[in-house]
Amino acid sequence: LTPRELAARIEHRVEGPLTRNRVRQLCQEADEFGFGTVSVPSAWVTHAKICLHQKEVAVSTTIGFPYGDVLSSAMFEEAYTAVNVGASEITFMLNHEYALEDATMLSQERRCIEALIRACRKVRPTVVKVMINVTTLTKDQFKQLVQMVLETGADFIGIFGASDGRHHVGIDPIGSLRALIGDQMNIVVWNDDLDRMTDESSEEGPTDLRHGFAISFLEQGAQRLITTRGPGILRTAKQLAAHAG
């Protein structure tokens, strides 16, 4: 990937509480680096949309972070309202604990996602990402949830990894996912380990170690990466491209 191609695959976000100035800075960084998307809580969608007026950066918001364990009606209302005020992408955190209780609840979760997608797309073309928290899932549970998400008509199916990196779906959850879905859906990765890594210095200057991991996720088959470390990853990408001539 060229630096520009890499940037287009990054969904830029920040940790912690936001202010108007911080949202403006986030949007400026996204425009400067060429990131495809910025991710903000739904309360800041309108402000982000204003900051990105006539820019090519999409605005996304996450619904039900981190476990999706809120009322379906509340998630539906938040997503629908966010799209009405300017969001063009929705990241939906799957309530996997609820969905895995029994077949009825799994079906209810699928219908909730389907209804959310229909409602949002009546307002505007909306990219929908459904995130699965893989931290505590078994392989069979993971497979069951993936098959359900495939039926919803979402654009992306996502892997969310907790900060301790523990999961039971295998050493390579992206490979496991690609084997299950083939080319039916795009993959998005949101990995806390990536965001918590520190920089390393060498004789050639500072190197963001996250760059290598970001590239590895994309090489394994992901089309999108949600991260707080996009600027560092891009700076390293540009350094490496310059050294390569």
Side-chain angles (χ1 to χ4, degrees), residues 110-146:
R110 176 180 54 77
R111 291 198 299 271
C112 173
I113 299 171
E114 290 172 337
L116 181 150
I117 293 173
R118 286 195 301 270
C120 290
R121 288 178 178 168
K122 284 182 179 179
V123 178
R124 73 176 76 249
T126 307
V127 174
V128 177
K129 294 155 281 182
V130 180
M131 304 297 299
I132 300 176
N133 189 328
V134 301
T135 309
T136 60
L137 296 179
T138 66
K139 290 183 178 180
D140 287 342
Q141 290 172 332
F142 182 62
K143 182 178 180 180
Q144 190 175 11
L145 292 174
V146 168

Side-chain angles (χ1 to χ4, degrees), residues 96-111:
H96 69 270
E97 296 287 357
Y98 177 91
L100 290 170
E101 282 287 328
D102 56 43
T104 299
M105 290 183 171
L106 185 68
S107 179
Q108 288 176 351
E109 189 72 1
R110 176 180 54 77
R111 291 198 299 271

Side-chain angles (χ1 to χ4, degrees), residues 42-88:
S42 57
W44 291 106
V45 166
T46 299
H47 186 52
K49 192 68 177 177
I50 292 171
C51 293
L52 291 167
H53 180 60
Q54 294 187 334
K55 305 294 185 182
E56 296 184 357
V57 183
V59 177
S60 178
T61 193
T62 300
I63 308 298
F65 180 80
Y67 302 114
D69 52 353
V70 298
L71 288 172
S72 297
S73 57
M75 298 182 78
F76 181 94
E77 183 65 27
E78 183 178 6
Y80 183 71
T81 302
V83 170
N84 267 285
V85 298
S88 56

